[in-house]
Amino acid sequence: MPNEIATPAQLAPQAAASSVPTVKLLIGGRLVESTTTVWRDVVNPATQEVLARVPFATPEEIDAAVASAKTAFKTWRSTAIGARARVFLKLQQLIRENMKELAAILTAEQGKTLPDAEGDVFRGLEVVEHAAAIGNLQLGELANNVAGGVDTYTLLQPLGVCAGITPFNFPAMIPLWMFPMAIACGNTFVLKPSEQDPMVTMRLAELALEAGLPPGVLNVIHGGEDAVNAICDHRDIKAVSFVGSTRVGTHVYNRATQAGKRAQCMMGAKNHGVILPDAHREQTLNALVGAAFGAAGQRCMALTTAVLVGAARDWIPDLVAKAKTLKVGPGNQPGVDVGPLVSKQALARVTGLIEQGIAEGATLELDGRAPEVPGHAQGNFVGPTIFSGVKPGMSIYEQEIFGPVLVIVEAASLDEAIAFVNANPNGNGTAVFTQSGAAARKFQEEIDVGQVGINVPIPVPVPLFSFSGSRASKLGDLGPYGKQVVLFYTQSKTVTQRWFDDDSTGGVNTTIALK
């Protein structure tokens, strides 16, 4: 995922424009107007309309958010687990009731189609529902009579103040991956959403307060590189969760762990779909087109590389024809399949990589540059784009394009395709399309990628399981949501106990052994 964290050098100090709404900070249970002099426009990517202005929080405001979370932790950590769970039962109800509003905000500031925006919110809602089951997840273990009259048991206790840094491409889902599980486990939280599209995140934070979160349990700050560094460095933050680009994620992981914090960073990807000749043709073509071009390709799990095996190489014309049926336009219009890219910078980057692909010798099967979108000449639009004849070393293969661009490579056999995928340093996701159970099993056993789909193009697991990207796509041992994230947001405490009757007798034991 390309870098989405703005640096101070990219922004000129300026006061918030009085005619445009300002995005607030959430500190101590209150929405607070920032005193900063550095602001950024939140822009509708289909029209360039300025929707709001987001502040880059001052160091004092960031400290206040962390201090509020630290104070709230003193009581929240001992709040009954059932009371914590009931907050998230209420939150999931409020999200359902406000789904249309949340999706409309998301579409306006990020560009996704309304159905995709609702999907973004819904996948986060699933994690809220999971958090409501925390009583079944945060269980310790007990061994009875490990020695004479001695029992040993473990407790999973909260860490303290935790923090999350989220990207622009899923401004509802990924915040909901983070703060509900952390808070349900008894921690308090400081969230820094993307400065490009913070409005839907703020609405979710308001709903969390309405659901009953006490003041200070959830705090939200805004900013760019300085805010990220402040989170990594702050002595009172115990764990940092990050989703975003590999460059920023590596920086966050190194800086946070050097400061003694736990860190989990989900980062960039190059996801391959391996298509065998026996695959169901129509279903596979639909899956490839949807996974490559949905959300304008701005997904870390987008299926960006099709590996056509053997006779499947003859499918390219059908794939191009299928992609041509997709409608490009603003996300709030009915029937639109591909919305705009999030910013002018993203548009320039994607079109520049398309030009590099042509210059480096790949075959441009479908050119999506400068599509006609009536009434939206200023929108950040790129239509479905397909390259064939792509080789390792080409920029369009080596880089994560993060746009609606599908690259096609060819392989003579399943073994060759597996070796090709495994040679890529990233391991976020992959998929195989086949009607052969033997081929599918061989693929799942031999592929070195953390999340595998079998006739499923985007194999993001439901919250009963953990997101399990691997290799260069992930830093840290534990993934977001699921059972793994409970371990991430808690610390184990082992208790060994013995109780004596009033008339018990015994001698002095000078050995280490329990008797």
Side-chain angles (χ1 to χ4, degrees):
M1 182 187 301
N3 174 37
E4 71 286 347
I5 303 295
T7 63
Q10 296 173 300
L11 298 157
Q14 50 195 301
S18 59
S19 61
V20 178
T22 58
V23 179
K24 307 300 188 286
L25 309 172
L26 175 60
I27 301 175
R30 295 188 307 113
L31 295 174
V32 178
E33 187 77 68
S34 177
T35 62
T36 187
T37 59
V38 181
W39 297 77
R40 177 179 177 139
D41 291 343
V42 180
V43 177
N44 183 320
T47 65
Q48 308 310 310
E49 174 193 1
V50 177
L51 303 173
R53 297 185 47 84
V54 61
F56 277 37
T58 66
E60 294 77 16
E61 289 165 343
I62 295 172
D63 284 343
V66 178
S68 174
K70 184 177 180 181
T71 299
F73 178 67
K74 296 174 183 177
T75 52
W76 183 249
R77 67 175 302 176
S78 57
T79 299
I81 199 166
R84 283 187 253 141
R86 282 189 287 276
V87 170
F88 293 101
L89 285 171
K90 179 63 174 177
L91 179 57
Q92 65 87 24
Q93 174 191 343
L94 291 172
I95 291 173
R96 289 182 184 278
E97 291 173 354
N98 292 275
M99 180 71 77
K100 297 295 184 183
E101 177 199 0
L102 292 165
I105 296 170
L106 198 162
T107 292
E109 64 179 343
Q110 201 277 340
K112 290 186 180 183
T113 66
L114 283 169
D116 194 29
E118 287 197 29
D120 186 328
V121 178
F122 182 79
R123 290 308 301 265
L125 171 64
E126 291 179 320
V127 180
V128 177
E129 294 170 338
H130 195 59
I134 195 64
N136 295 319
L137 301 172
Q138 199 173 344
L139 299 176
E141 300 173 311
L142 182 143
N144 184 234
N145 283 326
V146 295
V150 177
D151 302 326
T152 297
Y153 56 92
T154 59
L155 308 173
L156 295 180
Q157 296 186 319
L159 300 173
V161 181
C162 300
I165 302 163
T166 61
F168 75 84
N169 61 328
F170 283 94
M173 181 186 78
I174 294 178
L176 291 174
W177 278 9
M178 294 184 185
F179 77 79
M181 292 304 298
I183 290 172
C185 287
N187 302 287
T188 54
F189 207 80
V190 177
L191 177 65
K192 194 212 85 67
S194 170
E195 64 276 16
Q196 296 193 69
D197 48 9
M199 294 164 58
V200 71
T201 308
M202 290 306 300
R203 184 68 184 116
L204 288 168
E206 292 172 1
L207 293 178
L209 294 181
E210 186 179 339
L213 278 186
V217 172
L218 174 63
N219 303 270
V220 185
I221 63 169
H222 306 290
E225 183 179 5
D226 289 345
V228 169
N229 290 339
I231 286 171
C232 294
D233 296 343
H234 205 291
R235 65 183 182 276
D236 291 327
I237 292 177
K238 306 302 181 184
V240 178
S241 184
F242 170 88
V243 176
S245 70
T246 295
R247 188 190 72 81
V248 180
T250 301
H251 170 78
V252 167
Y253 186 82
N254 291 338
R255 190 154 182 157
T257 54
Q258 287 168 9
K261 306 181 195 319
R262 292 186 182 183
Q264 57 172 210
C265 296
M266 306 300 118
M267 306 184 300
K270 197 71 176 180
N271 305 313
H272 300 74
V274 174
I275 296 91
L276 300 185
D278 71 337
H280 189 290
R281 193 169 184 130
E282 185 66 17
Q283 293 296 333
T284 300
L285 291 171
N286 287 337
L288 285 174
V289 169
F293 306 126
Q298 297 175 121
R299 295 172 177 152
C300 67
M301 287 293 292
L303 205 61
T304 60
T305 305
V307 184
L308 303 183
V309 178
R313 290 174 285 193
D314 298 334
W315 293 19
I316 292 176
D318 292 339
L319 184 58
V320 171
K322 181 76 68 173
K324 286 181 177 179
T325 66
L326 300 185
K327 181 180 178 181
V328 180
N332 61 358
Q333 286 189 359
V336 167
D337 302 295
V338 181
L341 296 171
V342 71
S343 66
K344 290 294 183 186
Q345 292 79 8
L347 176 64
R349 183 178 184 278
V350 171
T351 54
L353 281 167
I354 293 172
E355 290 164 6
Q356 280 186 262
I358 297 169
E360 292 173 356
T363 300
L364 185 61
E365 301 280 354
L366 179 61
D367 188 353
R369 290 173 294 175
E372 286 190 24
V373 182
H376 292 81
Q378 298 302 312
N380 309 327
F381 295 105
V382 176
T385 299
I386 298 175
F387 280 100
S388 66
V390 176
K391 307 292 183 184
M394 292 182 177
S395 300
I396 54 173
Y397 179 70
E398 299 297 332
Q399 296 190 42
E400 186 179 20
I401 299 173
F402 230 62
V405 181
L406 176 67
V407 303
I408 298 173
V409 299
E410 299 178 3
S413 66
L414 177 58
D415 285 328
E416 183 179 319
I418 290 172
F420 183 86
V421 176
N422 286 346
N424 190 283
N426 294 293
N428 215 31
T430 189
V432 65
F433 297 87
T434 181
Q435 296 189 72
S436 166
R441 191 173 192 284
K442 175 183 176 66
F443 186 84
Q444 76 174 34
E445 291 298 309
E446 297 183 13
I447 207 72
D448 185 16
V449 175
Q451 297 173 120
V452 179
I454 297 173
N455 298 317
V456 174
I458 302 179
V460 177
V462 296
L464 296 174
F465 300 86
S466 295
F467 189 95
S468 54
S470 63
R471 295 194 283 146
S473 295
K474 175 183 177 182
L475 288 172
D477 296 330
L478 300 171
Y481 64 79
K483 295 178 182 178
Q484 288 186 20
V485 88
V486 174
L487 297 177
F488 179 76
Y489 284 127
T490 60
Q491 54 192 342
S492 297
K493 182 181 289 183
T494 303
V495 180
T496 301
Q497 68 175 16
R498 170 184 276 162
W499 299 98
F500 297 100
D501 296 331
D502 290 342
D503 58 353
S504 297
T505 61
V508 175
N509 177 18
T510 60
T511 74
I512 196 173
L514 290 170
K515 298 180 180 179

